[in-house]
Amino acid sequence: QVQLVESGGGLVQAGGSLRLSCAASGRSLSSYDLGWFRQAPGKEREFVAGISRSGGRRYYEDSVKGRFTVSRDNAKNTVYLQMNSLKSEDTAVYYCAAHYSSGSSYNFARRIEYDDWGQGTQVTVSS
Protein backbone atom coordinates (compact mmCIF):
# COMPACT_ATOMS: atom_id res chain seq x y z
CA GLN A 1 0.00 0.00 0.00
CA VAL A 2 1.21 3.49 -0.81
CA GLN A 3 0.10 6.63 1.02
CA LEU A 4 -0.69 9.62 -1.16
CA VAL A 5 -1.00 13.27 -0.17
CA GLU A 6 -2.16 15.93 -2.59
CA SER A 7 -1.30 19.60 -2.29
CA GLY A 8 -1.33 22.75 -4.36
CA GLY A 9 -5.03 23.40 -4.59
CA GLY A 10 -6.57 26.78 -3.97
CA LEU A 11 -8.63 29.61 -5.35
CA VAL A 12 -7.69 30.99 -8.76
CA GLN A 13 -9.34 33.21 -11.33
CA ALA A 14 -10.49 31.83 -14.64
CA GLY A 15 -7.60 31.70 -17.05
CA GLY A 16 -5.10 31.17 -14.27
CA SER A 17 -2.89 28.23 -13.42
CA LEU A 18 -2.23 25.85 -10.57
CA ARG A 19 0.14 22.96 -10.10
CA LEU A 20 -1.01 20.09 -7.99
CA SER A 21 1.42 17.69 -6.37
CA CYS A 22 0.86 14.16 -5.18
CA ALA A 23 3.54 12.97 -2.80
CA ALA A 24 3.84 9.30 -1.98
CA SER A 25 5.21 7.48 1.02
CA GLY A 26 5.42 3.89 2.11
CA ARG A 27 6.55 2.55 -1.26
CA SER A 28 8.37 3.74 -4.32
CA LEU A 29 6.06 5.26 -6.91
CA SER A 30 8.23 3.85 -9.66
CA SER A 31 6.14 0.65 -9.53
CA TYR A 32 2.85 2.49 -9.90
CA ASP A 33 0.82 4.09 -12.62
CA LEU A 34 -0.84 7.25 -11.33
CA GLY A 35 -4.17 8.80 -12.08
CA TRP A 36 -5.71 12.17 -11.30
CA PHE A 37 -9.45 12.32 -10.73
CA ARG A 38 -11.80 15.09 -9.70
CA GLN A 39 -15.19 15.34 -8.10
CA ALA A 40 -17.42 18.36 -8.28
CA PRO A 41 -20.35 18.80 -5.88
CA GLY A 42 -23.22 16.53 -6.80
CA LYS A 43 -21.25 14.77 -9.52
CA GLU A 44 -19.47 11.48 -9.94
CA ARG A 45 -15.71 11.31 -9.51
CA GLU A 46 -14.22 11.52 -12.99
CA PHE A 47 -10.91 10.77 -14.61
CA VAL A 48 -8.73 13.75 -15.47
CA ALA A 49 -5.29 12.44 -16.41
CA GLY A 50 -3.05 9.43 -16.01
CA ILE A 51 0.61 8.60 -16.36
CA SER A 52 2.39 5.28 -16.59
CA ARG A 53 5.05 4.35 -14.10
CA SER A 54 7.89 5.31 -16.43
CA GLY A 55 6.12 8.44 -17.65
CA GLY A 56 6.13 7.13 -21.19
CA ARG A 57 2.35 7.02 -21.54
CA ARG A 58 0.01 9.83 -20.61
CA TYR A 59 -3.74 10.05 -20.92
CA TYR A 60 -6.16 12.96 -20.61
CA GLU A 61 -9.86 13.47 -20.42
CA ASP A 62 -11.02 15.36 -23.49
CA SER A 63 -12.01 18.56 -21.70
CA VAL A 64 -8.51 19.08 -20.25
CA LYS A 65 -6.41 18.16 -23.28
CA GLY A 66 -4.11 21.00 -24.21
CA ARG A 67 -4.62 22.69 -20.83
CA PHE A 68 -3.45 20.13 -18.26
CA THR A 69 -0.17 18.25 -18.16
CA VAL A 70 0.60 15.26 -15.97
CA SER A 71 4.20 14.51 -15.08
CA ARG A 72 6.17 12.63 -12.47
CA ASP A 73 9.50 12.62 -10.71
CA ASN A 74 10.13 9.14 -9.41
CA ALA A 75 13.27 10.25 -7.61
CA LYS A 76 11.07 12.57 -5.54
CA ASN A 77 8.23 10.04 -5.35
CA THR A 78 5.90 12.73 -6.61
CA VAL A 79 3.43 13.18 -9.44
CA TYR A 80 2.25 16.56 -10.70
CA LEU A 81 -0.72 18.00 -12.52
CA GLN A 82 -0.05 21.33 -14.16
CA MET A 83 -3.33 23.05 -14.87
CA ASN A 84 -3.41 26.06 -17.20
CA SER A 85 -6.23 28.13 -18.66
CA LEU A 86 -8.46 27.09 -15.82
CA LYS A 87 -12.21 27.35 -16.23
CA SER A 88 -15.01 27.53 -13.69
CA GLU A 89 -16.03 24.00 -14.68
CA ASP A 90 -12.65 22.75 -13.42
CA THR A 91 -13.77 23.51 -9.87
CA ALA A 92 -13.66 20.27 -7.91
CA VAL A 93 -11.78 18.27 -5.34
CA TYR A 94 -8.83 16.68 -7.09
CA TYR A 95 -7.54 13.27 -6.09
CA CYS A 96 -4.51 11.28 -7.07
CA ALA A 97 -4.65 7.50 -7.13
CA ALA A 98 -2.13 4.71 -7.59
CA HIS A 99 -2.35 1.49 -9.57
CA TYR A 100 0.33 -1.11 -9.02
CA SER A 101 1.72 -1.79 -12.46
CA SER A 102 1.95 -5.49 -13.24
CA GLY A 103 2.44 -4.88 -16.94
CA SER A 104 -1.09 -5.92 -17.87
CA SER A 105 -3.12 -3.48 -19.92
CA TYR A 106 -6.12 -1.80 -18.35
CA ASN A 107 -8.26 1.30 -18.61
CA PHE A 108 -6.57 4.22 -16.81
CA ALA A 109 -9.89 6.04 -16.58
CA ARG A 110 -11.65 3.42 -14.46
CA ARG A 111 -11.68 4.27 -10.76
CA ILE A 112 -11.89 0.61 -9.80
CA GLU A 113 -8.40 0.02 -11.21
CA TYR A 114 -6.81 2.12 -8.48
CA ASP A 115 -6.06 0.73 -5.06
CA ASP A 116 -4.73 3.70 -3.15
CA TRP A 117 -6.15 7.21 -3.02
CA GLY A 118 -5.17 10.52 -1.50
CA GLN A 119 -7.50 12.68 0.56
CA GLY A 120 -7.96 15.27 -2.16
CA THR A 121 -7.23 18.95 -2.61
CA GLN A 122 -9.82 21.60 -3.42
CA VAL A 123 -9.49 23.62 -6.61
CA THR A 124 -11.85 26.55 -7.00
CA VAL A 125 -11.89 28.62 -10.18
CA SER A 126 -13.74 31.91 -10.01
CA SER A 127 -15.23 33.39 -13.14
Side-chain angles (χ1 to χ4, degrees):
Q1 187 176 10
V2 60
Q3 289 77 46
L4 304 171
V5 178
E6 302 94 337
S7 61
L11 174 64
V12 64
Q13 288 188 333
S17 299
L18 283 174
R19 187 176 82 154
L20 305 184
S21 298
C22 173
S25 62
R27 290 189 178 181
S28 171
L29 268 188
S30 62
S31 297
Y32 292 83
D33 299 329
L34 266 291
W36 284 98
F37 291 76
R38 66 186 179 187
Q39 188 167 16
K43 294 189 176 181
E44 294 283 319
R45 191 170 299 188
E46 65 175 1
F47 174 76
V48 176
I51 186 167
S52 61
R53 64 178 183 175
S54 68
R57 289 175 290 141
R58 306 183 192 197
Y59 306 92
Y60 298 95
E61 192 269 332
D62 285 346
S63 69
V64 307
K65 284 180 181 177
R67 300 189 298 123
F68 290 11
T69 303
V70 60
S71 62
R72 66 190 298 159
D73 185 339
N74 285 342
K76 294 183 178 180
N77 236 24
T78 302
V79 177
Y80 305 97
L81 184 67
Q82 178 67 44
M83 306 186 296
N84 298 329
S85 302
L86 283 161
K87 305 176 181 179
S88 57
E89 51 263 44
D90 295 318
T91 295
V93 177
Y94 283 70
Y95 300 88
C96 63
H99 170 98
Y100 184 78
S101 180
S102 63
S104 301
S105 62
Y106 67 99
N107 187 341
F108 268 70
R110 294 183 67 203
R111 287 176 292 168
I112 197 172
E113 300 289 353
Y114 296 86
D115 301 309
D116 301 302
W117 292 78
Q119 84 291 344
T121 185
Q122 176 71 47
V123 171
T124 303
V125 184
S126 64
S127 56

